[in-house]
Amino acid sequence: MKSLPRLNEYKVLAYRLLLAYLFYFIARVLFFVYNYNLIKTTGVSNFFSLCYHGLVFDTTAILYLNALFIILSTLPIIINTKKNYQKTLFYVYFIFNLTGYATNFVDFIYYKYNFGRSTVAILDSLEHESNKGLLFLNFFINYWHVLLLFVICSYLWIYLYKKVSVSYQKISPSISYFGFSTLCFLLITTLSIGGIRGDFKKSTRPINLLDASRYVQNASQADVVLNTPFALIRTMFSNNFKKINLVNQSTIDSFVVPIKQYKNNPESKPNVVILILESNAKEYYGNFNKDMNIPNYKGYTPFVDSLAQHSLIFTNAYSNGYKSIHAVSSILAGIPSFKDAFTSSPYPKQNTESLVSTLKSIGYSTSFFHGAPNGSMGFLGYGNILGIDSYYGKTEYNNDADFDGVWGIWDEPFMQYFNKKISTFKQPFMATLFSVSSHEPYQVPDKYKTTFKDEDPCIMHKCIRYTDFSLKQFFNKAKKEPWFNNTIFVLVGDHANLIYYDEYGKELNKNTIAMLIYSPNGKYVGVNKNFAQQIDIYPTILDVIGYKKPFRSWGRSLVNDSKIQPFVVRYSANLYQYMCGNYICTFDGEKVIGFYSKNDKDLKTNLILKRNPEMNLLELKCKAFIQDYMERVIDKKLAPFNK
């Protein structure tokens, strides 16, 4: 001990850090148990292989969270072993570690909605909620078992920490003591920096979320490799809106066609009603699943299924994001969200050409209805940016007797309010409603609890049935109004939610949504099996009403656009995914890393070594889209005068 002063302290430090690895492993196992139906593994050895590769990501998270603790534990001073100093280390250790550790437990549940480890975007989602305390209380009540598991793990962690302690030693200052302490401090600091980066190679950047995909057989496994503190820390100060220069402008103009102009239909001014349905995935709709061949499949939307027989439905439609606010920018402005949400970036506050602005330019009034507390989800703020004339929320509804106690006004009464309000509007009008009831905590009004029971295998199903019933009541009343027959209705899900059928746990089936266009005059009827996406709604509406002016849009008309091949672009599994024709192209922001058959729903077989002309063309389309998107967002070219 005399030749190696403080050796016992360094051993205890190593023990304390190893405890963090142990409990991160436990959290990874629990995360997988809670989400095993969404994450496909080939057996126990495959799972432990993922855990092994996760060590490097655990190292980064643990060293970040313990940076202050490590510094205080290794400072070349002589009071380190004193009782009060060790007590201070105890509190520093657990304040940081348990705070970070808790985020893993949140993802036991939140992963079912997000299909990815939580990033800093989750904080953006909460920013506009006025009832944060109620939301957290509701989470703890409904998922008490997760809270209990966290308490148990925390107790065990603290117990094991106290089992090994640093004995007090009276230190006599000496050159050898301070010299050795300083060398160890520098060595441990250097190793910590390397651990935070992921390696010491100068040529490589610090590891990020994308690196987890290097070790997996299918995309969802990357979330087992990752941990939530790492995902939060790595995205906390990142801005992934960056210009890239991979193709020339002529390629963009050819493949992206950022400026659209349609002359297919005569000018008309029907009312436009857009019903954005919370968490309404394709999975729940019987008429959208006729060709899926899912064993023992059952749908939960009898009314919309009946409406679909008189509508144009899109059975291969995707959301362009994974949160509710992403859907609003995608549907109303044709602006998708990728790694970072557009609405949470530094760039949404700019003059934006959208469905709102184009319809207002030809005499439409515009309104947005959302039964949650005003400003929830950021809808009110973003609506103001788009120039929506009127916003109607929980405040305007003004009857808390219909409040669900967590999110907002129940769908049935709020849709009746929506009908009464728009029936007073001068035509033509554009009105958007965003539903709230098909959402966690998955409840229905007391008077319907015997009608919509918890008898189905997924707790979401009764909420979907209730929202479907609410839509039926809305349409039954609305069709008696004079504006009804002169209206185009769009029903579209914002994103997917709880998945029950294994088929929808496959990577390319996640965030497939319900989407249809209904016109009482029966003009648009049929089944469209081509790729479709939320950003297509904006140009489709303008095509349908015969809007003749050029306008900015990344989407395509779903009824007449023959110039652009059907496609979908989205961000999932830490990669851009561009779907078109027979293949899926995966792109990391700099280079294409994979091609997959459109029938390879789990993205298992990478065909990049068997490239063909169609794949090469798909690569150009993908790069052109992302390049034009980044340039227009960053340079504020989303307005009509910046075409």
Side-chain angles (χ1 to χ4, degrees):
M1 288 294 297
K2 291 183 179 180
S3 59
L4 293 174
R6 302 188 66 183
L7 181 61
N8 182 56
E9 290 179 57
Y10 300 137
K11 288 180 178 179
V12 173
L13 172 62
Y15 170 78
R16 290 168 175 174
L17 293 178
L18 286 173
L19 283 180
Y21 283 96
L22 170 64
F23 284 95
Y24 271 58
F25 170 73
I26 293 171
R28 181 173 279 111
V29 172
L30 292 172
F31 170 80
F32 178 75
V33 169
Y34 269 86
N35 296 286
Y36 72 92
N37 61 317
L38 298 175
I39 302 169
K40 309 300 180 185
T41 60
T42 57
V44 175
S45 62
N46 180 212
F47 174 75
F48 279 102
S49 174
L50 298 174
C51 293
Y52 170 75
H53 291 300
L55 286 173
V56 67
F57 298 92
D58 292 350
T59 297
T60 296
I62 290 168
L63 292 178
Y64 259 123
L65 291 170
N66 287 279
L68 179 59
F69 173 77
I70 293 170
I71 290 172
L72 293 176
S73 298
T74 57
L75 280 174
I77 53 180
I78 62 173
I79 62 172
N80 310 68
T81 62
K82 288 187 174 181
K83 183 177 180 180
N84 286 339
Y85 194 87
Q86 287 297 313
K87 189 175 182 180
T88 299
L89 287 180
F90 171 86
Y91 286 110
V92 170
Y93 180 86
F94 281 109
I95 287 172
F96 283 95
N97 275 304
L98 293 185
T99 300
Y101 192 58
T103 64
N104 284 309
F105 288 72
V106 172
D107 269 347
F108 293 177
I109 304 302
Y110 194 57
Y111 185 79
K112 294 177 176 66
Y113 318 127
N114 196 29
F115 305 130
R117 289 283 187 169
S118 294
T119 66
V120 74
I122 192 176
L123 304 178
D124 300 320
S125 299
L126 290 170
E127 180 182 357
H128 301 286
E129 299 303 329
S130 59
N131 56 339
K132 296 182 183 70
L134 182 60
L135 294 176
F136 281 116
L137 178 62
N138 180 73
F139 181 89
F140 292 140
I141 292 173
N142 284 283
Y143 302 110
W144 58 268
H145 43 93
V146 174
L147 178 61
L148 178 61
L149 285 171
F150 174 70
V151 171
I152 292 172
C153 287
S154 299
Y155 174 82
L156 288 174
W157 196 342
I158 293 171
Y159 172 78
L160 292 173
Y161 179 98
K162 290 182 175 180
K163 290 290 287 182
V164 176
S165 61
V166 172
S167 302
Y168 171 71
Q169 288 184 328
K170 186 175 182 180
I171 304 298
S172 299
S174 65
I175 294 176
S176 61
Y177 176 86
F178 285 114
F180 183 75
S181 294
T182 300
L183 286 174
C184 288
F185 176 79
L186 294 175
L187 176 62
I188 291 171
T189 300
T190 301
L191 291 173
S192 297
I193 292 172
I196 287 172
R197 283 181 49 84
D199 61 37
F200 287 96
K201 297 177 183 178
K202 185 177 180 181
S203 60
T204 59
R205 62 187 178 184
I207 58 169
N208 57 28
L209 275 67
L210 183 62
D211 290 303
S213 298
R214 294 161 50 191
Y215 310 110
V216 304
Q217 296 174 359
N218 63 67
S220 63
Q221 291 181 352
D223 294 306
V224 177
V225 177
L226 291 167
N227 62 74
T228 305
F230 176 89
L232 287 166
I233 291 167
R234 275 291 189 255
T235 58
M236 194 165 292
F237 303 106
S238 65
N239 173 19
N240 291 291
F241 282 84
K242 298 177 182 178
K243 291 185 182 181
I244 55 176
N245 185 21
L246 301 174
V247 298
N248 56 38
Q249 188 60 45
S250 63
T251 301
I252 292 174
D253 292 339
S254 298
F255 295 140
V256 180
V257 194
I259 307 303
K260 307 290 192 300
Q261 186 172 20
Y262 297 122
K263 298 181 180 180
N264 303 305
N265 294 306
E267 291 185 22
S268 61
K269 290 188 178 180
N271 305 304
V272 176
V273 171
I274 300 176
L275 301 167
I276 306 176
L277 305 176
E278 172 66 53
S279 303
N280 273 234
K282 173 189 170 185
E283 176 178 357
Y284 309 130
Y285 288 75
N287 256 23
F288 289 74
N289 283 276
K290 290 183 176 180
D291 297 330
M292 293 297 290
N293 297 317
I294 299 174
N296 301 314
Y297 174 81
K298 180 182 177 181
Y300 297 91
T301 57
F303 170 70
V304 174
D305 284 344
S306 67
L307 187 70
Q309 297 176 38
H310 309 282
S311 306
L312 178 60
I313 71 172
F314 304 92
T315 59
N316 201 14
Y318 287 80
S319 63
N320 292 112
Y322 49 88
K323 295 181 182 295
S324 298
I325 187 61
H326 303 174
V328 174
S329 66
S330 297
I331 294 165
L332 299 187
I335 303 173
S337 288
F338 297 122
K339 187 172 185 178
D340 290 343
F342 166 73
T343 48
S344 303
S345 75
Y347 308 107
K349 295 179 181 179
Q350 57 176 289
N351 192 1
T352 304
E353 189 171 40
S354 65
L355 186 57
V356 177
S357 66
T358 50
L359 291 183
K360 285 181 68 171
S361 72
I362 56 175
Y364 280 71
S365 65
T366 57
S367 56
F368 192 95
F369 291 75
H370 186 222
N374 289 38
S376 177
M377 305 283 189
F379 293 159
L380 177 55
Y382 188 61
N384 289 335
I385 291 172
L386 294 182
I388 292 175
D389 296 321
S390 303
Y391 179 94
Y392 299 91
K394 181 173 176 286
T395 300
E396 289 73 20
Y397 185 82
N398 196 29
N399 183 2
D400 281 356
D402 295 326
F403 179 49
D404 66 11
V406 179
W407 284 107
I409 306 302
W410 294 110
D411 280 351
E412 184 196 9
F414 196 73
M415 287 183 184
Q416 293 301 307
Y417 168 75
F418 175 61
N419 174 56
K420 290 178 181 178
K421 200 69 183 178
I422 63 177
S423 294
T424 68
F425 293 168
K426 181 182 177 181
Q427 301 184 59
F429 59 79
M430 170 195 167
T432 303
L433 178 139
F434 204 117
S435 71
V436 303
S437 295
S438 45
H439 200 295
E440 190 275 334
Y442 311 111
Q443 298 296 326
V444 297
D446 288 340
K447 65 179 179 179
Y448 290 123
K449 285 190 175 180
T450 57
T451 305
F452 307 112
K453 300 178 182 178
D454 284 322
E455 59 190 16
D456 295 316
C458 177
I459 57 175
M460 176 60 134
H461 292 163
K462 68 176 183 291
C463 300
I464 294 296
R465 291 171 60 204
Y466 169 68
T467 297
D468 181 74
F469 168 79
S470 302
L471 287 167
K472 180 180 179 180
Q473 304 306 105
F474 164 73
F475 274 90
N476 284 344
K477 289 290 182 68
K479 67 184 180 182
K480 300 175 183 178
E481 301 294 341
W483 54 266
F484 183 82
N485 288 327
N486 184 39
T487 302
I488 296 169
F489 294 87
V490 176
L491 276 72
V492 57
D494 64 338
H495 54 74
N497 203 310
L498 294 183
I499 291 173
Y500 174 68
Y501 293 103
D502 290 342
E503 183 67 24
Y504 283 96
K506 296 178 179 179
E507 175 60 28
L508 292 187
N509 286 335
K510 293 176 182 176
N511 275 324
T512 49
I513 54 170
M515 185 191 297
L516 67 77
I517 297 173
Y518 169 69
S519 177
N521 62 20
K523 184 176 180 181
Y524 297 102
V525 179
V527 178
N528 187 319
K529 299 180 181 180
N530 292 326
F531 285 125
Q533 55 193 324
Q534 290 169 334
I535 63 172
D536 294 334
I537 291 173
Y538 162 31
T540 299
I541 295 297
L542 294 187
D543 186 8
V544 166
I545 70 170
Y547 184 85
K548 294 295 188 287
K549 298 177 182 178
F551 62 96
R552 175 211 57 80
S553 170
W554 284 302
R556 58 183 293 274
S557 171
L558 295 172
V559 295
N560 280 310
D561 200 335
S562 59
K563 295 181 180 179
I564 302 176
Q565 190 177 9
F567 75 100
V568 167
V569 61
R570 66 174 189 161
Y571 193 87
S572 183
N574 302 318
L575 292 168
Y576 295 97
Q577 295 177 359
Y578 194 96
M579 313 177 190
C580 187
N582 295 309
Y583 298 102
I584 314 300
C585 172
T586 56
F587 176 61
D588 69 4
E590 297 178 356
K591 62 183 182 301
V592 167
I593 65 170
F595 291 101
Y596 302 84
S597 166
K598 68 177 182 179
N599 298 317
D600 184 2
K601 301 297 184 181
D602 263 329
L603 302 185
K604 289 184 176 180
T605 305
N606 193 339
L607 305 173
I608 197 166
L609 298 179
K610 301 178 181 179
R611 294 175 70 118
N612 59 35
E614 184 178 352
M615 294 179 190
N616 294 334
L617 189 63
L618 189 58
E619 177 177 356
L620 287 176
K621 290 181 177 181
C622 177
K623 290 180 176 178
F625 190 101
I626 303 303
Q627 181 171 319
D628 189 68
Y629 173 87
M630 292 297 178
E631 181 179 333
R632 287 182 178 276
V633 168
I634 294 170
D635 290 344
K636 298 185 176 181
K637 292 182 178 180
L638 301 178
F641 53 80
N642 274 333
K643 293 173 181 174

Coordinates of all heavy atoms in Angstrom, one line a residue, residues 34-87:
Y34 N -40.5 -6.1 -21.7 CA -41.7 -5.3 -21.9 C -42.0 -5.1 -23.4 O -43.2 -4.9 -23.7 CB -41.5 -3.9 -21.2 CG -42.0 -3.8 -19.8 CD1 -41.2 -4.2 -18.8 CD2 -43.3 -3.4 -19.5 CE1 -41.6 -4.1 -17.4 CE2 -43.7 -3.3 -18.2 CZ -42.8 -3.7 -17.2 OH -43.3 -3.6 -15.9
N35 N -41.1 -5.3 -24.2 CA -41.3 -5.0 -25.7 C -40.9 -6.1 -26.6 O -40.6 -5.9 -27.7 CB -40.5 -3.7 -26.0 CG -41.0 -2.5 -25.3 OD1 -42.0 -1.9 -25.6 ND2 -40.2 -2.0 -24.3
Y36 N -40.9 -7.3 -26.1 CA -40.4 -8.5 -26.8 C -41.2 -8.7 -28.1 O -40.7 -9.2 -29.1 CB -40.5 -9.7 -26.0 CG -41.9 -10.2 -25.7 CD1 -42.5 -11.2 -26.6 CD2 -42.6 -9.8 -24.7 CE1 -43.8 -11.6 -26.3 CE2 -43.9 -10.2 -24.4 CZ -44.5 -11.1 -25.3 OH -45.8 -11.6 -25.1
N37 N -42.5 -8.3 -28.1 CA -43.3 -8.4 -29.4 C -42.9 -7.5 -30.5 O -43.3 -7.7 -31.6 CB -44.8 -8.3 -29.0 CG -45.1 -6.9 -28.5 OD1 -44.4 -6.4 -27.6 ND2 -46.2 -6.3 -28.9
L38 N -42.2 -6.4 -30.1 CA -41.7 -5.4 -31.1 C -40.3 -5.6 -31.6 O -39.9 -5.0 -32.5 CB -41.9 -4.0 -30.6 CG -43.3 -3.6 -30.2 CD1 -43.3 -2.2 -29.6 CD2 -44.2 -3.6 -31.4
I39 N -39.6 -6.4 -30.8 CA -38.1 -6.6 -31.1 C -37.9 -8.1 -31.4 O -38.0 -8.9 -30.4 CB -37.3 -6.1 -29.9 CG1 -37.6 -4.6 -29.6 CG2 -35.8 -6.3 -30.2 CD1 -37.0 -4.1 -28.4
K40 N -37.5 -8.4 -32.6 CA -37.3 -9.8 -33.0 C -35.9 -10.3 -32.8 O -35.0 -9.6 -33.3 CB -37.7 -10.0 -34.4 CG -39.1 -9.4 -34.8 CD -40.2 -10.1 -34.0 CE -41.6 -9.5 -34.4 NZ -42.7 -10.0 -33.5
T41 N -35.7 -11.3 -32.0 CA -34.4 -11.9 -31.8 C -34.5 -13.4 -32.2 O -35.6 -14.0 -32.3 CB -33.9 -11.8 -30.4 OG1 -34.8 -12.5 -29.5 CG2 -33.8 -10.4 -29.9
T42 N -33.4 -14.0 -32.5 CA -33.3 -15.4 -33.0 C -33.0 -16.4 -31.8 O -32.8 -17.5 -32.1 CB -32.3 -15.5 -34.1 OG1 -31.0 -15.1 -33.6 CG2 -32.7 -14.7 -35.3
G43 N -33.0 -15.9 -30.6 CA -32.7 -16.8 -29.5 C -31.9 -16.1 -28.4 O -31.6 -14.9 -28.5
V44 N -31.6 -16.8 -27.4 CA -30.9 -16.3 -26.2 C -29.5 -15.8 -26.6 O -29.1 -14.7 -26.2 CB -30.8 -17.4 -25.1 CG1 -29.9 -16.8 -23.9 CG2 -32.2 -17.8 -24.6
S45 N -28.8 -16.5 -27.4 CA -27.4 -16.1 -27.8 C -27.5 -14.8 -28.6 O -26.6 -13.9 -28.4 CB -26.8 -17.2 -28.7 OG -27.5 -17.4 -29.9
N46 N -28.5 -14.6 -29.4 CA -28.6 -13.4 -30.2 C -28.9 -12.2 -29.2 O -28.3 -11.1 -29.4 CB -29.8 -13.5 -31.2 CG -30.0 -12.2 -32.0 OD1 -31.2 -11.9 -32.4 ND2 -29.0 -11.5 -32.3
F47 N -29.7 -12.4 -28.2 CA -30.0 -11.4 -27.2 C -28.7 -11.0 -26.5 O -28.4 -9.8 -26.3 CB -31.1 -11.8 -26.3 CG -31.3 -10.9 -25.1 CD1 -32.0 -9.7 -25.3 CD2 -30.8 -11.1 -23.9 CE1 -32.2 -8.8 -24.3 CE2 -31.0 -10.2 -22.8 CZ -31.7 -9.0 -23.1
F48 N -28.0 -12.0 -26.0 CA -26.8 -11.7 -25.2 C -25.7 -11.0 -26.1 O -24.9 -10.2 -25.6 CB -26.2 -12.9 -24.5 CG -26.9 -13.2 -23.3 CD1 -27.9 -14.2 -23.2 CD2 -26.7 -12.5 -22.1 CE1 -28.6 -14.5 -22.0 CE2 -27.4 -12.8 -20.9 CZ -28.3 -13.8 -20.9
S49 N -25.7 -11.3 -27.4 CA -24.8 -10.7 -28.3 C -25.2 -9.2 -28.4 O -24.3 -8.3 -28.4 CB -24.9 -11.3 -29.7 OG -24.1 -10.6 -30.7
L50 N -26.4 -8.9 -28.4 CA -26.9 -7.5 -28.4 C -26.5 -6.8 -27.1 O -26.0 -5.6 -27.2 CB -28.4 -7.4 -28.6 CG -29.0 -7.9 -29.9 CD1 -30.5 -7.9 -29.9 CD2 -28.4 -7.1 -31.1
C51 N -26.6 -7.5 -26.0 CA -26.2 -6.9 -24.7 C -24.7 -6.6 -24.7 O -24.2 -5.6 -24.2 CB -26.5 -7.9 -23.6 SG -28.3 -8.1 -23.3
Y52 N -23.9 -7.5 -25.3 CA -22.5 -7.4 -25.4 C -22.1 -6.1 -26.1 O -21.3 -5.3 -25.7 CB -21.8 -8.6 -26.0 CG -20.4 -8.4 -26.3 CD1 -19.4 -8.4 -25.3 CD2 -20.0 -8.2 -27.7 CE1 -18.0 -8.2 -25.6 CE2 -18.6 -8.0 -28.0 CZ -17.7 -8.0 -27.0 OH -16.3 -7.7 -27.3
H53 N -22.7 -5.9 -27.3 CA -22.5 -4.7 -28.1 C -23.0 -3.5 -27.4 O -22.5 -2.4 -27.7 CB -23.1 -4.9 -29.5 CG -22.4 -5.9 -30.3 ND1 -21.1 -5.9 -30.7 CD2 -22.9 -7.1 -30.9 CE1 -20.8 -6.9 -31.4 NE2 -21.8 -7.7 -31.6
G54 N -24.0 -3.7 -26.6 CA -24.5 -2.5 -25.8 C -23.5 -1.9 -24.8 O -23.7 -0.8 -24.3
L55 N -22.5 -2.7 -24.4 CA -21.6 -2.3 -23.4 C -20.9 -0.9 -23.8 O -20.7 -0.1 -22.9 CB -20.5 -3.3 -23.2 CG -21.0 -4.6 -22.4 CD1 -19.9 -5.6 -22.4 CD2 -21.4 -4.2 -21.0
V56 N -20.6 -0.8 -25.0 CA -19.9 0.5 -25.4 C -20.8 1.7 -25.3 O -20.4 2.8 -24.9 CB -19.3 0.4 -26.9 CG1 -20.5 0.3 -27.9 CG2 -18.4 1.6 -27.2
F57 N -22.1 1.5 -25.5 CA -23.1 2.6 -25.3 C -23.4 2.8 -23.8 O -23.6 3.9 -23.4 CB -24.4 2.2 -26.1 CG -24.1 2.1 -27.6 CD1 -23.9 0.9 -28.1 CD2 -24.2 3.2 -28.4 CE1 -23.6 0.7 -29.5 CE2 -24.0 3.1 -29.8 CZ -23.7 1.9 -30.3
D58 N -23.4 1.7 -23.1 CA -23.5 1.9 -21.6 C -22.3 2.6 -21.1 O -22.4 3.5 -20.2 CB -23.6 0.5 -20.9 CG -24.9 -0.3 -21.3 OD1 -25.8 0.4 -21.9 OD2 -24.9 -1.5 -20.9
T59 N -21.1 2.3 -21.6 CA -19.9 3.0 -21.1 C -20.0 4.5 -21.3 O -19.7 5.3 -20.4 CB -18.7 2.5 -21.8 OG1 -18.5 1.1 -21.6 CG2 -17.4 3.2 -21.4
T60 N -20.5 4.9 -22.5 CA -20.6 6.3 -22.7 C -21.6 7.0 -21.8 O -21.3 8.0 -21.2 CB -21.1 6.6 -24.2 OG1 -20.1 6.1 -25.1 CG2 -21.3 8.0 -24.4
A61 N -22.8 6.4 -21.6 CA -23.8 6.9 -20.7 C -23.3 7.0 -19.3 O -23.4 8.0 -18.6 CB -25.1 6.1 -20.8
I62 N -22.7 5.9 -18.8 CA -22.2 5.8 -17.4 C -21.1 6.8 -17.1 O -21.1 7.5 -16.1 CB -21.7 4.4 -17.1 CG1 -22.9 3.4 -17.1 CG2 -21.0 4.3 -15.8 CD1 -22.6 1.9 -17.1
L63 N -20.2 7.0 -18.1 CA -19.1 7.9 -17.9 C -19.6 9.4 -17.9 O -19.1 10.2 -17.2 CB -18.0 7.7 -18.9 CG -17.2 6.4 -18.7 CD1 -16.2 6.2 -19.8 CD2 -16.6 6.3 -17.3
Y64 N -20.6 9.6 -18.8 CA -21.2 11.0 -18.8 C -21.8 11.3 -17.5 O -21.6 12.3 -16.9 CB -22.2 11.1 -19.9 CG -21.8 11.8 -21.2 CD1 -21.9 11.1 -22.4 CD2 -21.3 13.1 -21.2 CE1 -21.5 11.7 -23.6 CE2 -20.9 13.7 -22.3 CZ -21.0 13.0 -23.5 OH -20.7 13.6 -24.7
L65 N -22.6 10.4 -17.0 CA -23.4 10.6 -15.8 C -22.5 10.6 -14.5 O -22.8 11.3 -13.5 CB -24.5 9.6 -15.6 CG -25.6 9.6 -16.6 CD1 -26.5 8.4 -16.5 CD2 -26.5 10.9 -16.4
N66 N -21.4 10.0 -14.6 CA -20.5 9.9 -13.4 C -19.2 10.7 -13.6 O -18.3 10.5 -12.8 CB -20.1 8.4 -13.2 CG -21.2 7.6 -12.7 OD1 -21.5 7.6 -11.5 ND2 -21.9 6.8 -13.6
A67 N -19.2 11.6 -14.5 CA -18.0 12.5 -14.7 C -17.6 13.2 -13.5 O -16.5 13.2 -13.0 CB -18.3 13.4 -15.9
L68 N -18.6 13.9 -12.8 CA -18.3 14.6 -11.6 C -17.9 13.7 -10.5 O -16.9 13.9 -9.7 CB -19.5 15.5 -11.2 CG -19.3 16.3 -9.9 CD1 -18.2 17.3 -10.0 CD2 -20.6 17.0 -9.5
F69 N -18.6 12.5 -10.4 CA -18.2 11.6 -9.3 C -16.8 11.0 -9.5 O -16.1 10.9 -8.5 CB -19.2 10.4 -9.4 CG -18.9 9.3 -8.5 CD1 -19.1 9.3 -7.2 CD2 -18.3 8.1 -9.0 CE1 -18.8 8.3 -6.3 CE2 -18.0 7.0 -8.2 CZ -18.3 7.1 -6.9
I70 N -16.4 10.7 -10.8 CA -15.1 10.2 -11.0 C -14.0 11.3 -10.7 O -13.0 11.0 -10.1 CB -15.0 9.8 -12.5 CG1 -15.8 8.5 -12.7 CG2 -13.5 9.5 -12.9 CD1 -16.0 8.2 -14.2
I71 N -14.3 12.5 -11.1 CA -13.3 13.6 -10.8 C -13.1 13.7 -9.3 O -12.0 13.8 -8.8 CB -13.8 14.9 -11.4 CG1 -13.7 14.8 -12.9 CG2 -13.0 16.1 -10.9 CD1 -14.3 16.0 -13.7
L72 N -14.3 13.8 -8.6 CA -14.2 14.0 -7.1 C -13.5 12.8 -6.4 O -12.9 12.9 -5.4 CB -15.6 14.2 -6.5 CG -16.3 15.5 -6.9 CD1 -17.7 15.5 -6.3 CD2 -15.5 16.7 -6.4
S73 N -13.7 11.6 -7.0 CA -13.1 10.4 -6.4 C -11.6 10.3 -6.7 O -10.9 9.5 -5.9 CB -13.8 9.1 -7.0 OG -15.2 9.1 -6.7
T74 N -11.1 10.9 -7.7 CA -9.7 10.8 -8.1 C -8.9 12.0 -7.9 O -7.7 12.0 -8.3 CB -9.6 10.3 -9.5 OG1 -10.3 11.2 -10.4 CG2 -10.2 8.9 -9.7
L75 N -9.5 13.1 -7.5 CA -8.7 14.3 -7.3 C -7.5 14.1 -6.4 O -7.6 13.4 -5.4 CB -9.5 15.4 -6.7 CG -10.5 16.2 -7.6 CD1 -11.4 17.2 -6.8 CD2 -9.7 17.0 -8.6
P76 N -6.3 14.6 -6.8 CA -5.1 14.4 -6.0 C -5.1 15.3 -4.7 O -4.3 16.2 -4.6 CB -4.0 14.8 -6.9 CG -4.6 15.7 -7.9 CD -6.0 15.3 -8.0
I77 N -6.0 14.9 -3.8 CA -6.1 15.7 -2.5 C -6.0 14.6 -1.4 O -6.0 13.4 -1.6 CB -7.3 16.5 -2.4 CG1 -8.6 15.7 -2.7 CG2 -7.3 17.7 -3.4 CD1 -9.9 16.4 -2.6
I78 N -6.0 15.1 -0.1 CA -5.8 14.2 1.0 C -7.0 13.9 1.8 O -7.0 13.2 2.9 CB -4.6 14.7 1.9 CG1 -5.0 16.0 2.5 CG2 -3.3 14.7 1.1 CD1 -4.0 16.5 3.6
I79 N -8.2 14.5 1.5 CA -9.4 14.3 2.3 C -10.4 13.3 1.7 O -11.5 13.1 2.2 CB -10.1 15.7 2.4 CG1 -10.6 16.2 1.1 CG2 -9.2 16.7 3.2 CD1 -11.5 17.4 1.2
N80 N -10.0 12.6 0.6 CA -10.9 11.7 -0.1 C -11.5 10.6 0.8 O -12.6 10.2 0.5 CB -10.1 11.0 -1.3 CG -9.4 12.0 -2.1 OD1 -8.4 12.6 -1.6 ND2 -9.8 12.2 -3.4
T81 N -10.8 10.1 1.8 CA -11.3 9.0 2.5 C -12.1 9.4 3.8 O -12.6 8.6 4.5 CB -10.1 8.1 3.0 OG1 -9.2 8.9 3.8 CG2 -9.3 7.6 1.8
K82 N -12.2 10.7 4.0 CA -12.9 11.2 5.2 C -14.4 10.9 5.0 O -15.0 10.8 3.9 CB -12.7 12.7 5.4 CG -11.3 13.0 5.9 CD -11.2 14.5 6.2 CE -9.9 14.8 6.9 NZ -9.7 16.2 7.3
K83 N -15.1 10.7 6.1 CA -16.5 10.2 6.1 C -17.4 11.2 5.4 O -18.2 10.8 4.6 CB -17.0 10.0 7.6 CG -18.4 9.5 7.7 CD -18.8 9.3 9.1 CE -20.2 8.8 9.2 NZ -20.6 8.5 10.6
N84 N -17.3 12.5 5.7 CA -18.1 13.5 5.0 C -17.9 13.6 3.5 O -18.8 13.8 2.8 CB -18.0 14.9 5.7 CG -18.6 14.9 7.1 OD1 -19.5 14.1 7.4 ND2 -18.1 15.9 7.9
Y85 N -16.6 13.4 3.2 CA -16.3 13.4 1.7 C -16.9 12.2 1.0 O -17.5 12.4 -0.1 CB -14.8 13.4 1.5 CG -14.4 13.8 0.1 CD1 -14.2 15.1 -0.2 CD2 -14.2 12.8 -0.9 CE1 -13.8 15.5 -1.5 CE2 -13.8 13.2 -2.1 CZ -13.6 14.5 -2.5 OH -13.2 14.9 -3.7
Q86 N -16.9 11.1 1.6 CA -17.5 9.9 1.0 C -19.0 10.0 1.0 O -19.6 9.5 0.1 CB -17.0 8.6 1.8 CG -15.6 8.2 1.6 CD -15.3 7.8 0.1 OE1 -16.1 7.1 -0.5 NE2 -14.3 8.3 -0.5
K87 N -19.5 10.6 2.0 CA -21.0 10.9 2.0 C -21.4 11.8 0.9 O -22.4 11.5 0.2 CB -21.4 11.5 3.4 CG -22.9 11.5 3.6 CD -23.2 12.0 5.0 CE -24.7 12.1 5.2 NZ -25.1 12.5 6.6

